[in-house]
Amino acid sequence: MNLRQFSWITTYPLRTILVYDLAILDVDLDDNRVEFLITDHEEMWSFGDMIEALPLVGWAYNLFRRSFAFGFLGASALSYGVLSFLKRPVAVETRLRNKDFEEY
C-alpha cells in the first residue's frame, strides 16, 4: 500500500489482505489474450495491528497479549496435570482389597 501521498498526516503500516473476484470475459487463443472483469473487491485489515500501532494503547495491548498467552499456557498445563493425576492407574493391592470387601 502506497502511503507516501498521505505523509503530511500520521500514518502507520497495516497488514492488508486484498481479495478479488474475477470473471473471464473474453479468451483469444490466437493472440494469447484474456480479458478479466473484477466483480468484487474486499479489503481485510488486522484490527490487532491497528490497536498495536496506537502510541500508548499499543504498549498496553502488547502487554495484555503476552500476559494472556502465558496465562492460557499455564492454565492448559495445570489442567493437563490435574487430568493426568485423576486418570493415574489404581494400585493392584487396592483393587484386591476392594474385591475382598465386596465378597462379604
Side-chain angles (χ1 to χ4, degrees):
M1 193 177 268
N2 185 8
L3 298 176
R4 289 187 190 144
Q5 59 189 347
F6 299 110
S7 62
W8 52 276
I9 60 174
T10 304
T11 60
Y12 50 89
L14 292 174
R15 282 182 281 188
T16 305
I17 300 171
L18 301 172
V19 179
Y20 295 102
D21 287 337
L22 303 171
I24 299 174
L25 293 180
D26 186 26
V27 178
D28 190 4
L29 297 177
D30 296 333
D31 294 338
N32 290 333
R33 185 175 54 88
V34 179
E35 291 184 22
F36 296 101
L37 175 68
I38 297 174
T39 59
D40 192 26
H41 168 252
E42 182 180 358
E43 289 186 22
M44 293 175 269
W45 294 352
S46 170
F47 191 65
D49 287 345
M50 287 194 288
I51 293 174
E52 190 176 356
L54 293 173
L56 294 175
V57 178
W59 179 82
Y61 176 70
N62 279 332
L63 180 66
F64 170 76
R65 277 182 44 194
R66 288 189 183 109
S67 302
F68 186 80
F70 282 117
F72 187 79
L73 182 63
S76 298
L78 182 65
S79 66
Y80 177 75
V82 168
L83 184 64
S84 63
F85 176 76
L86 294 176
K87 287 190 172 184
R88 71 182 191 279
V90 180
V92 175
E93 296 172 7
T94 308
R95 278 191 238 147
L96 291 176
R97 217 175 303 137
N98 290 339
K99 189 176 181 182
D100 292 339
F101 286 119
E102 289 174 3
E103 292 178 0
Y104 293 110

